[in-house]
Amino acid sequence: MKKIFEVPMYPYVRSNDQDATEAVRKPVVVIGAGPIGLGAAIDLAQQDIPVVIVDDNDKVSWGSRAICFAKRPLEILDRLGCGNAFVDKGVTWDTGKVFFDEREVYKFNLLPESNHKRPAFINLQQYYFEAYLVDRVNELAAEGKPIELRGNNKVLSIKDTDDGVHLLIDTPDGPYKLVADWVIACDGATSPTRSMMELDFVGRVFEDNFLIADVVMDAEFPTERWFWFDPPFNRGQSALLHKQPDNVWRIDLQLGWDIDREKEMEPERVKARLRKMLGDDVTFELEWVSIYTFQCRRMEKFRHGHVLFAGDSAHQVSPFGARGANSGLADTDNLCWKLKLVMDGTAPDSLLDTYDDERVYGAEENILNSSRSTDFITPKSDTSRLFRNAVLDLSEKVEFARPLVNSGRLSVPCTYDGSSLNGPDCNSMPMRTRPGSPALDAPIDGGWLMDALGNKFQLLAINAEVPAHMTVGDIEIEMLELKGGADLADRYLGEASSAVYLMRPDQHVAARWEQFDETAVIAALNTAVGR
């Protein structure tokens, strides 16, 4: 039997700010208590930045929604102090299979390399994801960290002025005002904040619809991602199957463009489609059903003065590829350390412009991959369909065709090539740990490299000597001296015998050299903070 999920609440509680005669000033207000808003607030609170989260709801969202969470976001969650809960509950997987008609034509492994702490992917319903983040918010608050979550607090208006961002917030007891030094808008694809500020959100809407069904059943399917092109139970269309915790299975069925959405959502019609796929002898029940349309859109800029947009409020991609929540966490991972330095006066305000530069770059990469996946999954001409089907036929027997199969290129972390924050590179070292790239995990004495990285600037020294302490201006650099084990050497040394990496607080590489050079490190750190 499926375990009953109790939806966590964060009910409305009247705050002292509502009784103030003038608008109370807050350092940071986060709008939206979804995965991205909660992640941003936790990151800031861990750095002792006071933050208030306001949300027009009073509980976590229902329905699985985002379910596939990649290795890199799991590492970010570890840095936020709550990764274990997600991995312990989630369904771990690394294998995907692609079917054409009834034939398996392609199989892939998303993490063929061993010795990483976290798996390639976990599947976990979004309601668990949000619940664990709410737990972490409450845990930090109990520890005395400056974080507050306010339910049933709906932003009615927002205005960025010279003296702060003015917010009017509605509650069951009536409206009140706040003034924020900074606002992070994480209020989703339909972002009321974006609408109130009359900002753009342009892109492409694909002419197709997909049915999502969360199905509770005892099934013998393996823990893999299965994707069908033109299956016998959904001719001319596609289908996707994923396992989730609690005997819940996510099924996506392509419906086509010209449909009656209300009719397709009727439970009996949904069940008839599922019986056709699963067979009459499989007993199941529906937990949640929705219909979505592919969209790939983004704002032109993610920074607007003292209002910063992250997650779906800034960019939106189709679900195939698991690029939504994963890229949203990458947004806040990029933003929060920069905001901390600017608020402390350690870095210039212009450092926040690099949040816009780097994450727009990441969004463009996701939109490109998502658009290509959608075009392959839903060909809009006979010629495109013939090409796709030929690729699928060939991929069953010929290896060269398999990279062309695109059932949703799955999320990979973004490398910020060309970023103005990148410092010197060393060509004798591996390309995959070049400046701008996220760190790669490896076993080290006593644990894992990723657990030792993050939240501060660090020098990672492998078979190299570095000073015991180093401070550049008012930024202290932590020293990590390691010996080059086989995995560490493969991922960080390449042809070099030693290496020194300058690591950013978000675990991305800022610069690298074969040996320590104090002048070069100082210059690279100043570059990395935009000064």
Side-chain angles (χ1 to χ4, degrees):
M1 293 293 292
K2 174 180 173 289
K3 177 183 176 182
I4 302 300
F5 175 74
E6 296 182 5
V7 179
M9 306 282 290
Y10 39 92
Y12 168 73
V13 177
R14 186 178 179 87
S15 73
N16 292 334
D17 296 342
Q18 293 169 252
D19 298 319
T21 56
E22 296 184 358
V24 176
R25 193 173 196 96
K26 301 292 183 183
V28 180
V29 172
V30 172
I31 303 175
I36 311 311
L38 292 168
I42 291 166
D43 203 345
L44 294 170
Q46 288 189 161
Q47 300 179 76
D48 295 314
I49 296 177
V51 57
V52 174
I53 314 153
V54 295
D55 194 275
D56 59 1
N57 208 337
D58 63 355
K59 55 185 172 295
V60 305
S61 60
W62 184 242
S64 65
R65 301 175 187 269
I67 65 163
C68 297
F69 299 100
K71 179 176 178 291
R72 177 61 193 141
L74 296 176
E75 293 166 348
I76 294 171
L77 291 167
D78 281 337
R79 191 175 60 76
L80 298 183
C82 51
N84 285 341
F86 295 83
V87 177
D88 290 347
K89 182 65 179 178
V91 173
T92 299
W93 66 279
D94 56 23
T95 299
K97 291 180 179 178
V98 177
F99 301 88
F100 183 31
D101 195 351
E102 297 181 276
R103 294 173 289 139
E104 179 186 325
V105 295
Y106 183 39
K107 179 179 178 179
F108 56 88
N109 185 343
L110 291 166
L111 189 61
E113 186 176 67
S114 61
N115 289 331
H116 290 258
K117 176 183 178 182
R118 291 309 186 194
F121 269 88
I122 65 167
N123 288 349
L124 184 70
Q125 296 93 319
Q126 184 169 319
Y127 47 78
Y128 280 119
F129 196 101
E130 293 182 18
Y132 296 148
L133 290 178
V134 169
D135 287 346
R136 181 60 176 154
V137 168
N138 293 334
E139 183 180 81
L140 289 170
E143 294 171 1
K145 290 294 186 180
I147 188 168
E148 183 181 356
L149 173 54
R150 298 181 182 178
N152 280 340
N153 274 238
K154 179 180 180 179
V155 177
L156 296 177
S157 68
I158 180 170
K159 187 176 182 181
D160 190 11
T161 70
D162 291 340
D163 68 335
V165 184
H166 292 252
L167 300 162
L168 179 65
I169 301 172
D170 196 19
T171 74
D173 289 330
Y176 70 103
K177 296 178 180 179
L178 288 178
V179 179
D181 294 332
W182 298 93
V183 167
I184 305 176
C186 306
D187 48 350
T190 60
S191 177
T193 305
R194 192 180 61 235
S195 298
M196 286 184 283
M197 295 181 68
E198 298 182 342
L199 297 172
D200 57 10
F201 197 54
V202 297
R204 181 180 174 191
V205 177
F206 293 85
E207 294 186 359
D208 221 318
N209 294 285
F210 286 77
L211 175 76
I212 299 176
D214 279 356
V215 179
V216 183
M217 62 179 177
D218 291 318
E220 299 300 323
F221 304 119
T223 306
E224 299 171 343
R225 178 188 192 263
W226 284 7
F227 192 100
W228 288 266
F229 291 96
D230 195 18
F233 54 82
N234 198 28
R235 279 298 180 203
Q237 308 290 1
S238 63
L240 177 67
L241 177 71
H242 268 293
K243 184 178 182 180
Q244 302 178 81
D246 304 333
N247 291 329
V248 178
W249 296 79
R250 158 68 69 81
I251 297 173
D252 290 47
L253 295 172
Q254 186 179 0
L255 300 178
W257 180 241
D258 188 16
I259 65 168
D260 183 331
R261 293 173 71 94
E262 287 190 13
K263 188 174 182 179
E264 292 293 350
M265 291 273 288
E266 293 175 357
E268 287 309 312
R269 190 172 181 87
V270 174
K271 289 178 181 178
R273 286 187 177 276
L274 295 175
R275 278 192 289 269
K276 191 174 179 181
M277 176 183 183
L278 301 170
D280 293 332
D281 57 338
V282 176
T283 302
F284 63 87
E285 60 184 68
L286 296 178
E287 181 178 84
W288 179 72
V289 175
S290 183
I291 290 178
Y292 65 86
T293 301
F294 280 161
Q295 298 186 53
C296 291
R297 301 186 290 177
R298 73 167 177 86
M299 300 176 69
E300 182 181 356
K301 295 170 55 182
F302 298 171
R303 180 190 182 184
H304 291 267
H306 285 72
V307 181
L308 303 131
F309 290 80
D312 283 354
S313 68
H315 47 78
Q316 185 180 10
V317 293
S318 62
F320 290 123
R323 297 174 182 274
N326 288 312
S327 63
L329 282 176
D331 289 345
T332 58
D333 184 54
N334 185 286
L335 170 61
C336 289
W337 69 272
K338 297 175 180 178
L339 186 57
K340 164 71 172 174
L341 291 178
V342 170
M343 293 180 72
D344 287 350
T346 303
D349 177 271
S350 58
L351 179 62
L352 289 173
D353 293 333
T354 69
Y355 163 68
D356 191 80
D357 294 339
E358 292 185 337
R359 291 313 301 158
V360 166
Y361 180 87
E364 281 292 289
E365 183 177 280
N366 281 324
I367 287 172
L368 174 63
N369 282 287
S370 187
S371 298
R372 286 173 173 171
S373 296
T374 304
D375 287 334
F376 194 86
I377 293 167
T378 62
K380 294 302 185 289
S381 71
D382 291 340
T383 301
S384 296
R385 187 173 295 275
L386 283 170
F387 170 77
R388 187 199 70 180
N389 292 351
V391 167
L392 291 169
D393 277 327
L394 283 170
S395 65
E396 184 177 10
K397 298 178 181 178
V398 184
E399 187 172 349
F400 85 85
R402 290 168 189 165
L404 300 175
V405 175
N406 195 336
S407 62
R409 292 276 188 257
L410 286 154
S411 176
V412 294
C414 179
T415 295
Y416 303 127
D417 286 318
S419 171
S420 63
L421 304 186
N422 292 347
D425 193 7
C426 180
N427 293 332
S428 61
M429 297 176 189
M431 275 288 291
R432 56 184 179 154
T433 45
R434 63 191 182 276
S437 64
L440 290 175
D441 202 7
I444 60 173
D445 289 341
W448 297 96
L449 177 61
M450 294 304 295
D451 287 340
L453 296 177
N455 300 314
K456 60 184 78 69
F457 279 97
Q458 297 164 299
L459 275 186
L460 171 60
I462 304 172
N463 303 336
E465 293 184 2
V466 293
H469 305 282
M470 186 173 182
T471 301
V472 180
D474 42 8
I475 297 178
E476 183 177 353
I477 303 176
E478 182 182 78
M479 304 297 179
L480 293 175
E481 294 187 66
L482 303 172
K483 297 299 180 183
D487 294 301
L488 194 69
D490 175 64
R491 293 161 202 178
Y492 287 88
L493 291 178
E495 298 175 5
S497 58
S498 62
V500 175
Y501 281 74
L502 177 62
M503 306 300 300
R504 301 181 351 177
D506 59 358
Q507 301 170 322
H508 278 248
V509 176
R512 59 185 184 175
W513 309 265
E514 290 198 28
Q515 298 291 338
F516 174 75
D517 181 321
E518 182 177 6
T519 301
V521 170
I522 292 171
L525 186 135
N526 284 327
T527 295
V529 299
R531 65 187 187 191

